[in-house]
Amino acid sequence: MSIWWSLHLRREAASVPLARRLFLGTMETAGVDPDVSYELSVALTEACANAVEHGGGGAAGRGSEAYRVTAFLDGETCRIEVTDAGPGFPGVPTAPAVRPDAEHGRGLRLIEELSDHVHFGRSGRGGAVVSFDKILKWKDGPSLLMA
């Protein structure tokens, strides 16, 4: 079974926990192991916080006050994409190097550590895209995917 959802959110701090709660609820309903769900929710939180902080100023201000979160559960994999209207990443598919005592930039490294595959780039519309996926584990007992 495959499920997906997409949210169009305002670039406001209050949108970050909303996205995380919706994601965790979906994962619980689907029967995903809580530890895997938690790791992905932390990565999602970091990606959303990055979009809220840096996601404006795209081409002609289009969508600069919003960002999009899309999550796909397909078979044994969960893929999350967070897209905004920001300047994008500097052509490097991994997080930029950051010093351990840096005030900013550690969130991108955390996303890399909590995911199996990560890509930082630019969308076709000129904004930033953070996409990451993880192989899922399932909890014991009935789940949406087993029904």
Side-chain angles (χ1 to χ4, degrees):
M1 170 186 257
S2 296
I3 58 175
W4 67 272
W5 54 261
S6 185
L7 299 170
H8 188 83
L9 299 163
R10 288 178 150 299
R11 283 186 45 239
E12 299 173 348
S15 69
V16 177
L18 172 64
R20 183 175 177 151
R21 282 193 298 267
L22 287 169
F23 176 77
L24 284 169
T26 301
M27 299 295 270
E28 181 179 2
T29 301
V32 175
D33 178 82
D35 291 336
V36 172
S37 296
Y38 177 76
E39 289 176 357
L40 279 170
S41 75
V42 172
L44 172 64
T45 298
E46 293 297 334
C48 290
N50 192 65
V52 167
E53 185 171 346
H54 305 290
R62 177 189 78 272
S64 63
E65 295 306 316
Y67 68 101
R68 183 181 310 271
V69 175
T70 306
F72 307 88
L73 274 72
D74 189 20
E76 299 293 316
T77 304
C78 177
R79 168 164 283 225
I80 299 170
E81 294 180 1
V82 178
T83 306
D84 62 46
F89 295 93
V92 179
T94 59
V98 103
R99 294 185 349 232
D101 61 342
E103 295 263 335
H104 299 285
R106 291 175 289 165
L108 299 178
R109 285 284 182 207
L110 189 55
I111 293 169
E112 285 184 324
E113 292 298 319
L114 294 171
S115 305
D116 293 330
H117 299 97
V118 183
H119 178 75
F120 302 102
R122 294 188 174 139
S123 72
R125 297 180 175 173
V129 177
V130 176
S131 64
F132 51 97
D133 58 57
K134 190 168 185 77
I135 302 297
L136 300 176
K137 294 182 200 170
W138 306 98
K139 63 183 177 183
D140 295 330
S143 73
L144 175 65
L145 297 178
M146 299 172 115

